[in-house]
Protein backbone atom coordinates (compact mmCIF):
# COMPACT_ATOMS: atom_id res chain seq x y z
CA UNK A 1 0.00 0.00 0.00
CA UNK A 2 1.33 3.44 -0.90
CA UNK A 3 1.67 5.82 2.08
CA UNK A 4 0.45 9.44 1.90
CA UNK A 5 4.07 10.62 2.26
CA UNK A 6 5.13 8.45 -0.67
CA UNK A 7 2.21 9.78 -2.69
CA UNK A 8 3.45 13.32 -2.10
CA UNK A 9 6.96 12.31 -3.24
CA UNK A 10 5.49 10.89 -6.43
CA UNK A 11 3.36 13.98 -7.02
CA UNK A 12 6.44 16.17 -6.58
CA UNK A 13 8.46 14.10 -9.06
CA UNK A 14 5.75 14.31 -11.73
CA UNK A 15 5.10 18.03 -11.18
CA UNK A 16 8.81 18.86 -11.25
CA UNK A 17 9.15 17.09 -14.57
CA UNK A 18 6.25 19.06 -16.04
CA UNK A 19 7.48 22.40 -14.67
CA UNK A 20 11.15 21.84 -15.50
CA UNK A 21 12.19 22.08 -11.83
CA UNK A 22 15.00 20.03 -10.28
CA UNK A 23 13.63 17.93 -7.41
CA UNK A 24 16.82 15.96 -6.77
CA UNK A 25 17.54 15.92 -3.03
CA UNK A 26 14.18 17.47 -2.06
CA UNK A 27 13.84 17.99 1.71
CA UNK A 28 10.50 17.68 3.45
CA UNK A 29 9.55 20.86 5.35
CA UNK A 30 5.95 20.10 6.37
CA UNK A 31 3.70 17.08 6.05
CA UNK A 32 0.14 18.20 6.72
CA UNK A 33 -2.90 19.13 4.67
CA UNK A 34 -0.34 20.83 2.42
CA UNK A 35 2.99 19.06 1.93
CA UNK A 36 6.00 21.35 1.46
CA UNK A 37 9.50 20.57 0.15
CA UNK A 38 12.69 22.60 -0.05
CA UNK A 39 14.39 22.19 -3.44
CA UNK A 40 17.74 23.22 -4.82
CA UNK A 41 17.95 26.65 -6.39
CA UNK A 42 16.03 28.39 -3.59
CA UNK A 43 12.62 26.91 -4.46
CA UNK A 44 9.83 25.61 -2.22
CA UNK A 45 7.20 23.23 -3.62
CA UNK A 46 3.78 23.25 -1.96
CA UNK A 47 1.51 20.28 -2.73
CA UNK A 48 -2.15 20.84 -1.96
CA UNK A 49 -4.75 18.17 -1.18
CA UNK A 50 -6.91 16.68 -3.89
CA UNK A 51 -9.54 18.99 -5.28
CA UNK A 52 -7.87 22.21 -4.09
CA UNK A 53 -6.92 23.71 -7.46
CA UNK A 54 -9.13 26.79 -7.03
CA UNK A 55 -7.53 27.52 -3.67
CA UNK A 56 -4.03 27.15 -5.14
CA UNK A 57 -4.85 29.51 -8.01
CA UNK A 58 -6.21 32.07 -5.57
CA UNK A 59 -3.10 31.88 -3.36
CA UNK A 60 -0.83 32.71 -6.29
CA UNK A 61 -3.12 35.53 -7.45
CA UNK A 62 -3.37 36.91 -3.91
CA UNK A 63 0.38 36.98 -3.36
CA UNK A 64 0.90 38.78 -6.67
CA UNK A 65 -1.84 41.31 -5.87
CA UNK A 66 -0.59 41.97 -2.33
CA UNK A 67 2.93 42.48 -3.65
CA UNK A 68 1.58 45.01 -6.18
CA UNK A 69 -0.02 46.88 -3.25
CA UNK A 70 3.28 47.21 -1.42
CA UNK A 71 2.73 44.40 1.11
CA UNK A 72 5.87 42.24 1.47
CA UNK A 73 4.71 38.65 0.98
CA UNK A 74 6.17 35.27 0.12
CA UNK A 75 6.74 35.30 -3.64
CA UNK A 76 5.41 32.82 -6.18
CA UNK A 77 8.02 31.52 -8.64
CA UNK A 78 7.68 32.93 -12.15
CA UNK A 79 8.21 31.05 -15.40
CA UNK A 80 6.51 27.82 -14.27
CA UNK A 81 2.91 26.58 -14.48
CA UNK A 82 1.07 27.88 -11.39
CA UNK A 83 -0.32 25.56 -10.27
CA UNK A 84 1.17 22.47 -11.87
CA UNK A 85 -1.55 19.83 -11.71
CA UNK A 86 -0.87 16.15 -11.01
CA UNK A 87 -4.26 14.48 -11.39
CA UNK A 88 -6.40 16.51 -8.92
CA UNK A 89 -3.53 17.75 -6.73
CA UNK A 90 -2.10 21.25 -7.32
CA UNK A 91 1.59 21.99 -6.88
CA UNK A 92 2.64 25.61 -6.50
CA UNK A 93 6.21 26.86 -6.57
CA UNK A 94 7.61 29.57 -4.29
CA UNK A 95 10.84 31.43 -3.67
CA UNK A 96 12.64 30.21 -0.57
CA UNK A 97 12.73 32.82 2.18
CA UNK A 98 16.08 34.04 3.49
CA UNK A 99 16.99 33.07 7.09
CA UNK A 100 14.39 34.64 9.35
CA UNK A 101 12.69 34.68 12.75
CA UNK A 102 9.01 35.00 13.75
CA UNK A 103 7.62 38.50 14.16
CA UNK A 104 7.45 40.26 17.49
CA UNK A 105 3.97 41.38 18.61
CA UNK A 106 4.79 44.95 17.53
CA UNK A 107 5.93 43.76 14.08
CA UNK A 108 2.80 41.65 13.65
CA UNK A 109 0.66 44.65 14.55
CA UNK A 110 2.46 46.79 11.99
CA UNK A 111 1.97 44.26 9.19
CA UNK A 112 -1.74 43.90 9.99
CA UNK A 113 -2.16 47.68 10.08
CA UNK A 114 -0.81 47.91 6.52
CA UNK A 115 -2.88 44.95 5.33
CA UNK A 116 -6.09 46.38 6.75
CA UNK A 117 -5.73 49.63 4.82
CA UNK A 118 -6.49 47.68 1.63
CA UNK A 119 -9.95 47.58 0.09
CA UNK A 120 -10.83 44.11 -1.28
CA UNK A 121 -10.02 43.94 -5.00
CA UNK A 122 -12.31 42.94 -7.82
CA UNK A 123 -9.57 40.54 -8.99
CA UNK A 124 -8.62 38.29 -7.40
CA UNK A 125 -12.05 37.80 -5.91
CA UNK A 126 -11.65 37.17 -2.20
CA UNK A 127 -14.12 35.01 -0.27
CA UNK A 128 -16.00 36.46 2.67
CA UNK A 129 -14.37 35.38 5.92
CA UNK A 130 -16.47 32.74 7.68
CA UNK A 131 -15.23 32.01 11.21
CA UNK A 132 -17.50 28.95 11.36
CA UNK A 133 -16.24 27.34 8.13
CA UNK A 134 -15.93 23.59 8.62
CA UNK A 135 -16.81 23.62 12.33
CA UNK A 136 -20.22 21.93 12.04
CA UNK A 137 -18.73 19.18 9.89
CA UNK A 138 -15.89 18.50 12.34
CA UNK A 139 -18.23 18.39 15.32
CA UNK A 140 -20.73 16.13 13.52
CA UNK A 141 -17.95 13.72 12.46
CA UNK A 142 -16.40 13.52 15.95
CA UNK A 143 -17.91 10.16 16.88
CA UNK A 144 -14.88 9.49 19.10
CA UNK A 145 -16.26 12.13 21.49
CA UNK A 146 -18.86 11.30 24.13
CA UNK A 147 -22.31 12.13 22.76
CA UNK A 148 -22.89 14.70 25.50
CA UNK A 149 -19.72 16.64 24.61
CA UNK A 150 -20.52 16.55 20.91
CA UNK A 151 -24.04 17.81 21.54
CA UNK A 152 -22.72 20.60 23.75
CA UNK A 153 -20.22 21.72 21.10
CA UNK A 154 -22.91 21.72 18.40
CA UNK A 155 -25.23 23.78 20.61
CA UNK A 156 -22.40 26.15 21.58
CA UNK A 157 -21.50 26.72 17.91
CA UNK A 158 -25.16 27.36 17.05
CA UNK A 159 -25.52 29.92 19.85
CA UNK A 160 -22.35 31.77 18.87
CA UNK A 161 -23.42 31.85 15.22
CA UNK A 162 -26.79 33.32 16.16
CA UNK A 163 -25.14 36.00 18.32
CA UNK A 164 -22.76 36.91 15.50
CA UNK A 165 -25.61 37.07 12.99
CA UNK A 166 -27.48 39.54 15.22
CA UNK A 167 -24.58 41.98 15.59
CA UNK A 168 -25.00 45.46 14.06
CA UNK A 169 -22.09 45.23 11.62
CA UNK A 170 -19.95 48.02 10.26
CA UNK A 171 -20.50 47.60 6.51
CA UNK A 172 -16.85 48.37 5.69
CA UNK A 173 -14.96 45.22 4.68
CA UNK A 174 -11.19 45.06 4.50
CA UNK A 175 -8.60 42.58 3.34
CA UNK A 176 -7.78 40.31 6.28
CA UNK A 177 -5.25 37.52 6.66
CA UNK A 178 -7.54 35.05 8.41
CA UNK A 179 -4.80 33.27 10.41
CA UNK A 180 -2.79 36.08 11.95
CA UNK A 181 -0.10 35.15 14.46
CA UNK A 182 3.61 35.83 14.87
CA UNK A 183 4.69 32.65 13.06
CA UNK A 184 2.89 33.74 9.89
CA UNK A 185 5.12 36.80 9.58
CA UNK A 186 8.78 36.08 8.79
CA UNK A 187 11.38 38.70 9.65
CA UNK A 188 14.70 38.34 7.76
CA UNK A 189 17.75 40.12 9.11
CA UNK A 190 17.93 42.82 6.46
CA UNK A 191 14.40 42.84 4.98
CA UNK A 192 11.00 44.09 6.13
CA UNK A 193 8.60 41.55 7.67
CA UNK A 194 7.14 39.12 5.13
CA UNK A 195 3.54 37.86 5.32
CA UNK A 196 3.18 34.07 4.91
CA UNK A 197 0.46 31.41 4.58
CA UNK A 198 -2.08 33.24 2.46
CA UNK A 199 -4.63 30.40 2.30
CA UNK A 200 -7.22 32.29 4.32
CA UNK A 201 -6.81 35.82 2.97
CA UNK A 202 -10.34 37.11 2.60
CA UNK A 203 -12.61 40.10 3.02
CA UNK A 204 -14.06 40.75 6.42
CA UNK A 205 -13.94 42.65 9.69
CA UNK A 206 -10.34 43.54 10.66
CA UNK A 207 -10.95 42.49 14.28
CA UNK A 208 -10.80 38.83 13.22
CA UNK A 209 -7.05 39.33 12.71
CA UNK A 210 -6.62 41.02 16.09
CA UNK A 211 -8.50 38.44 18.16
CA UNK A 212 -5.95 35.55 18.23
CA UNK A 213 -3.17 37.53 19.88
CA UNK A 214 -5.64 39.37 22.13
CA UNK A 215 -7.01 36.04 23.37
CA UNK A 216 -3.46 34.78 23.92
CA UNK A 217 -3.09 37.73 26.29
CA UNK A 218 -6.44 37.72 28.08
CA UNK A 219 -7.32 34.01 28.34
CA UNK A 220 -4.00 32.16 28.13
CA UNK A 221 -1.42 34.58 29.57
CA UNK A 222 0.94 33.69 26.71
CA UNK A 223 1.80 37.38 26.30
CA UNK A 224 2.87 39.85 28.93
CA UNK A 225 1.11 43.18 29.29
CA UNK A 226 4.14 44.82 27.66
CA UNK A 227 3.96 42.43 24.68
CA UNK A 228 0.27 43.11 24.15
CA UNK A 229 0.80 46.85 24.50
CA UNK A 230 3.50 46.59 21.80
CA UNK A 231 1.01 44.80 19.52
CA UNK A 232 -1.62 47.50 20.05
CA UNK A 233 0.98 50.21 19.44
CA UNK A 234 2.24 48.50 16.28
CA UNK A 235 -1.32 48.27 14.95
CA UNK A 236 -1.96 51.93 15.55
CA UNK A 237 -3.68 52.02 18.91
CA UNK A 238 -6.78 49.80 18.62
CA UNK A 239 -7.17 47.52 21.65
CA UNK A 240 -9.76 44.95 20.64
CA UNK A 241 -10.01 43.62 24.22
CA UNK A 242 -12.08 46.67 25.19
CA UNK A 243 -14.36 46.44 22.14
CA UNK A 244 -18.06 45.80 22.76
CA UNK A 245 -18.03 42.44 20.96
CA UNK A 246 -14.64 41.18 22.17
CA UNK A 247 -16.02 38.30 24.25
CA UNK A 248 -18.11 36.97 21.38
CA UNK A 249 -15.19 37.12 18.95
CA UNK A 250 -12.92 35.50 21.56
CA UNK A 251 -15.38 32.66 22.22
CA UNK A 252 -15.64 31.96 18.49
CA UNK A 253 -11.85 31.93 18.12
CA UNK A 254 -11.47 29.50 21.01
CA UNK A 255 -14.13 27.22 19.53
CA UNK A 256 -12.15 27.25 16.27
CA UNK A 257 -9.03 26.15 18.15
CA UNK A 258 -10.97 23.35 19.86
CA UNK A 259 -12.32 22.10 16.54
CA UNK A 260 -8.84 22.18 15.01
CA UNK A 261 -7.50 19.65 17.50
CA UNK A 262 -10.84 17.81 17.44
CA UNK A 263 -10.08 16.86 13.84
CA UNK A 264 -6.89 15.10 14.97
CA UNK A 265 -8.36 13.37 18.01
CA UNK A 266 -9.75 10.34 16.17
CA UNK A 267 -6.25 9.06 15.39
CA UNK A 268 -4.16 10.55 18.21
CA UNK A 269 -4.49 9.74 21.92
CA UNK A 270 -2.65 12.96 22.78
CA UNK A 271 -5.02 15.02 20.64
CA UNK A 272 -8.00 13.24 22.21
CA UNK A 273 -6.81 14.15 25.71
CA UNK A 274 -6.17 17.73 24.62
CA UNK A 275 -9.65 17.92 23.09
CA UNK A 276 -11.28 16.87 26.36
CA UNK A 277 -9.18 19.43 28.23
CA UNK A 278 -10.15 22.23 25.85
CA UNK A 279 -13.84 21.35 25.99
CA UNK A 280 -13.67 21.41 29.79
CA UNK A 281 -12.18 24.90 29.55
CA UNK A 282 -14.94 26.14 27.27
CA UNK A 283 -17.56 24.66 29.58
CA UNK A 284 -16.22 26.65 32.51
CA UNK A 285 -14.84 23.63 34.39
CA UNK A 286 -11.28 25.01 34.37
CA UNK A 287 -10.59 28.65 35.30
CA UNK A 288 -8.61 31.03 33.12
CA UNK A 289 -5.79 31.51 32.29
CA UNK A 290 -5.81 28.24 30.38
CA UNK A 291 -2.87 26.15 29.21
CA UNK A 292 -3.42 24.39 25.89
CA UNK A 293 -0.84 22.20 24.17
CA UNK A 294 -0.12 23.21 20.58
CA UNK A 295 -0.85 20.76 17.73
Amino acid sequence: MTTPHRQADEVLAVAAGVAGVDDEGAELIRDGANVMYRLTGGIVARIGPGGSRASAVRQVEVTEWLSSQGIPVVRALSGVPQPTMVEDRPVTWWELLPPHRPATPRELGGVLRLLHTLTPPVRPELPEFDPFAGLDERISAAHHLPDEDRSWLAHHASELRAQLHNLPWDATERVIHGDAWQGNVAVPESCPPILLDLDHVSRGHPDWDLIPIAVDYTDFARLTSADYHDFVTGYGGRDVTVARDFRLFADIQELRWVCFVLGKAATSAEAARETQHRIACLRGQIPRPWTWTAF
Side-chain angles (χ1 to χ4, degrees), residues 152-175:
W152 185 88
L153 281 176
H155 180 69
H156 185 55
S158 179
E159 283 192 329
L160 293 178
R161 184 185 287 105
Q163 291 177 43
L164 185 66
H165 178 74
N166 290 328
L167 282 185
W169 283 101
D170 178 352
T172 301
E173 287 188 322
R174 295 294 176 183
V175 176

Side-chain angles (χ1 to χ4, degrees), residues 76-161:
L77 193 67
S78 60
V80 293
Q82 294 277 26
T84 303
M85 297 300 300
V86 178
E87 297 179 353
D88 67 338
R89 299 192 69 177
V91 181
T92 51
W93 312 94
W94 304 86
E95 296 181 10
L96 180 68
L97 294 175
H100 59 273
R101 58 170 174 79
T104 64
R106 184 184 291 265
E107 289 166 335
L108 174 62
V111 169
L112 293 178
R113 178 175 55 83
L114 290 175
L115 182 66
H116 293 168
T117 63
L118 302 179
T119 300
V122 176
R123 294 282 303 176
E125 183 178 358
L126 302 182
E128 183 175 359
F129 182 72
D130 178 7
F132 293 97
L135 300 195
D136 290 343
E137 292 81 1
R138 287 190 179 185
I139 294 169
S140 177
H143 298 294
H144 50 283
L145 271 186
D147 289 344
E148 201 272 337
D149 278 340
R150 193 166 73 251
S151 295
W152 185 88
L153 281 176
H155 180 69
H156 185 55
S158 179
E159 283 192 329
L160 293 178
R161 184 185 287 105

Side-chain angles (χ1 to χ4, degrees), residues 167-253:
L167 282 185
W169 283 101
D170 178 352
T172 301
E173 287 188 322
R174 295 294 176 183
V175 176
I176 66 173
H177 183 268
D179 188 20
W181 63 291
Q182 295 99 306
N184 275 343
V185 176
V187 185
E189 184 175 342
S190 57
C191 302
I194 299 170
L195 193 60
L196 311 177
D197 284 357
L198 307 176
D199 307 54
H200 303 291
V201 170
S202 47
R203 50 187 173 85
H205 198 295
D207 281 359
W208 288 119
D209 278 348
L210 308 184
I211 285 294
I213 196 167
V215 169
D216 274 351
Y217 169 59
T218 60
D219 291 4
F220 294 89
R222 292 172 180 153
L223 271 72
T224 65
S225 294
D227 284 337
Y228 184 67
H229 176 74
D230 282 349
F231 173 73
V232 171
T233 300
Y235 187 70
R238 176 164 175 76
D239 179 0
V240 73
T241 68
V242 299
R244 177 196 59 192
D245 304 314
F246 168 70
R247 191 66 256 165
L248 174 58
F249 277 46
D251 288 347
I252 293 171
Q253 180 62 59

Side-chain angles (χ1 to χ4, degrees), residues 62-82:
V62 163
T63 195
E64 292 173 347
W65 179 75
L66 287 174
S67 181
S68 75
Q69 300 302 302
I71 306 294
V73 290
V74 60
R75 297 177 64 88
L77 193 67
S78 60
V80 293
Q82 294 277 26

Side-chain angles (χ1 to χ4, degrees), residues 255-268:
L255 176 64
R256 285 160 57 85
W257 285 338
V258 169
C259 289
F260 173 76
V261 74
L262 178 64
K264 300 175 180 292
T267 56
S268 166

